[in-house]
Amino acid sequence: MSCHVVFTDSGEYAESASINNRAPFKESTQLGGCCVTGSFLSSNMAWTKYQLFLAGLMLTTGSINTLSAKWADMFSAKGCHGNPEHTFSHPFVQAVGMFLGEFSCLAVFYILLFHDKRSPEPRMNVGQSFNPLLFFPPAMCDMMATSIMYVALNMTSASSFQMLRGAVIIFTGLLSVAFLGRRLAPSQWLGIFITILGLVVVGLADFVSGHRDDSHKLTDVITGDLLIIMAQIIVSVQMVLEEKFVYKHDVHPLRAVGTEGLFGFVVLSLLLIPMYFIHVGDFSDNPRQVLEDALDAFCQIGYKPLILLALLGNTVSIAFFNFAGISVTKEISATTRMVLDSLRTLVIWVVSLALGWEQFHGLQVLGFLVLLTGTALYNGLHRPLLARIPWCAARMNLNDEGSDAERERLLNEGRVPASEDT
């Protein structure tokens, strides 16, 4: 799932790229499935207890989201009609649960809106009026990408799954240049190159582990890794669509996430019906060898209720993760959100090792560090360090002026009047 958040220099919260008459923003960060635009906080004040809570909530729920999905994949149980015990391999059912979690963000939005309207001084920006169908194309991209990634998660490890999702910055950067006319800074091009190098290292780690690990066949691991990277291409298309067509309407992020979740939940739930009859042979691990056997999933849950706990963990964690991520950007900074998102990969890797889900590989550590470096360069995390050097600080100011003009051009090209409803 992706969302788009704008964070301004003054610490005010803007919910879209169309920040009419607001403070200029400085940085645009790509966080896995989420595009966060904002600046670094100039204040060095210590975090409040609420900010610490939000950071911990984002890190915890983000990690639980991937770990619970992988946990569900590791269960084995009997199926319908007396089928023998087999693994719980139902990626599309898991994707439906994920969209249900996103859909719940819409309920959270209306609860917050109701509470805000009852306050003496309403502060919540509900944005412009818009046609909800604007969210349908990015929701379909989200549906395809999420389904592919859950298929891939059955084939590879949870840590590799999370690391390889960093490939999204490569395709998002290239597509934003091609279709949004954006000019990337040299540091961003360098970040993309280093990210590609990190993906190669992670792929080599999986190749080596595929010869030693009996839980996954080498062909499955390689196929899973390629599917994850392919899914990031779809995610990048989704993010470009959101930026170009959706967020010019100044939509609140929770409303955007919830609306896309609604479309994804309804469409994918309906698609489970034809998937039940589409035979795909050995590509599927369910007994009937169809694309998705939802009835078999429910039977397995009945025989082993712990599977339901794993699915609920995925559904609930994605809802809280979206809320916490948006709140971290609002209360702290977009940079903090990027750091926490990177730490989430580390937490998933450490927990997977502790639970014995995978073995330690030095190449994977190197791949994580390289990916982290590439992501940091692309998202401008090096800027606070360079700002301490006078010559570099002067050059950064010049680059910021040029980038602000470019962003203003991009915004003005697709700006829609407040009264217009596409």
Side-chain angles (χ1 to χ4, degrees):
M1 179 62 214
S2 77
C3 54
H4 189 99
V5 182
V6 172
F7 188 82
T8 64
D9 281 332
S10 61
E12 294 179 354
Y13 181 42
E15 292 86 0
S16 105
S18 293
I19 48 173
N20 302 326
N21 301 320
R22 298 193 184 193
F25 52 94
K26 300 296 183 185
E27 298 297 335
S28 180
T29 56
Q30 302 293 344
L31 307 176
C34 191
C35 180
V36 180
T37 306
S39 69
F40 306 116
L41 284 180
S42 57
S43 172
N44 293 320
M45 296 176 60
W47 285 7
T48 64
K49 291 183 179 180
Y50 179 61
Q51 290 172 334
L52 287 172
F53 167 75
L54 289 174
L57 183 65
M58 178 185 170
L59 184 60
T60 303
T61 55
S63 302
I64 290 174
N65 183 245
T66 298
L67 291 171
S68 60
K70 186 62 180 178
W71 187 33
D73 293 339
M74 300 179 72
F75 280 108
S76 293
K78 293 182 179 180
C80 298
H81 309 299
N83 286 326
E85 187 172 294
H86 54 280
T87 57
F88 185 83
S89 179
H90 299 284
F92 297 98
V93 171
Q94 286 181 292
V96 169
M98 190 276 295
F99 280 116
L100 181 61
E102 292 179 357
F103 179 30
S104 67
C105 290
L106 198 60
V108 174
F109 167 76
Y110 284 110
I111 291 172
L112 293 176
L113 182 61
F114 176 77
H115 182 269
D116 184 69
K117 287 183 177 180
R118 290 173 61 89
S119 63
E121 297 180 2
R123 301 173 56 187
M124 192 170 175
N125 177 22
V126 297
Q128 305 171 10
S129 60
F130 66 96
N131 187 338
L133 288 176
L134 282 174
F135 287 90
F136 189 79
M140 293 303 97
C141 291
D142 190 15
M143 183 188 72
M144 289 188 289
T146 301
S147 300
I148 291 172
M149 284 191 285
Y150 279 134
V151 171
L153 188 57
N154 272 295
M155 302 178 177
T156 189
S157 64
S159 59
S160 295
F161 169 83
Q162 194 63 39
M163 291 182 192
L164 292 172
R165 292 179 69 177
V168 69
I169 69 172
I170 300 172
F171 305 111
T172 304
L174 296 177
L175 288 177
S176 65
V177 170
F179 296 102
L180 298 180
R182 178 165 291 126
R183 292 185 290 273
L184 299 182
S187 62
Q188 291 178 305
W189 285 113
L190 180 60
I192 288 176
F193 174 77
I194 293 177
T195 300
I196 295 174
L197 181 62
L199 294 176
V200 172
V201 175
V202 172
L204 286 175
D206 284 345
F207 181 80
V208 172
S209 66
H211 289 287
R212 303 177 185 172
D213 188 4
D214 295 331
S215 61
H216 296 101
K217 295 180 181 178
L218 178 60
T219 53
D220 288 345
V221 172
I222 295 175
T223 302
D225 289 352
L226 292 175
L227 285 175
I228 295 169
I229 294 175
M230 183 176 73
Q232 302 319 301
I233 300 176
I234 302 174
V235 171
S236 63
V237 173
Q238 173 193 352
M239 296 173 74
V240 170
L241 283 174
E242 289 171 342
E243 185 170 354
K244 190 170 182 64
F245 299 116
V246 176
Y247 290 103
K248 62 185 179 182
H249 293 272
D250 197 18
V251 182
H252 191 282
L254 282 176
R255 192 178 186 184
V257 171
T259 305
E260 289 190 16
L262 170 61
F263 283 127
F265 175 75
V266 172
V267 173
L268 191 55
S269 296
L270 293 175
L271 286 177
L272 290 178
I273 299 174
M275 287 180 183
Y276 183 81
F277 301 100
I278 299 176
H279 191 271
V280 292
D282 293 336
F283 180 77
S284 175
D285 289 334
N286 59 66
R288 295 180 59 246
Q289 293 188 324
V290 293
L291 189 57
E292 181 59 280
D293 191 341
L295 294 181
D296 182 68
F298 292 128
C299 289
Q300 286 189 290
I301 292 172
Y303 281 110
K304 188 160 291 188
L306 272 179
I307 298 176
L308 180 61
L309 179 62
L311 296 178
L312 287 177
N314 187 35
T315 299
V316 175
S317 63
I318 194 66
F320 278 97
F321 177 67
N322 279 294
F323 170 76
I326 291 169
S327 300
V328 164
T329 307
K330 173 184 176 181
E331 298 290 339
I332 310 174
S333 71
T335 308
T336 302
R337 182 170 184 170
M338 186 205 71
V339 173
L340 291 173
D341 201 70
S342 299
L343 287 176
R344 179 165 65 114
T345 304
L346 180 61
V347 170
I348 292 169
W349 179 62
V350 171
V351 172
S352 297
L353 288 176
L355 295 175
W357 291 359
E358 54 186 277
Q359 299 176 357
F360 177 84
H361 299 287
L363 271 177
Q364 202 170 39
V365 180
L366 177 61
F368 170 73
L369 294 175
V370 175
L371 284 172
L372 185 62
T373 302
T375 304
L377 283 172
Y378 186 88
N379 292 320
L381 194 60
H382 62 290
R383 288 178 176 270
L385 300 176
L386 295 180
R388 298 177 181 273
I389 305 174
W391 182 84
C392 293
R395 295 290 301 171
M396 287 170 59
N397 289 335
L398 290 175
N399 290 335
D400 284 345
E401 291 176 3
S403 61
D404 287 343
E406 181 194 355
R407 291 186 184 104
E408 186 65 25
R409 174 184 64 80
L410 288 170
L411 294 176
N412 286 332
E413 280 182 357
R415 183 165 292 155
V416 175
S419 60
E420 181 178 342
D421 185 8
T422 303

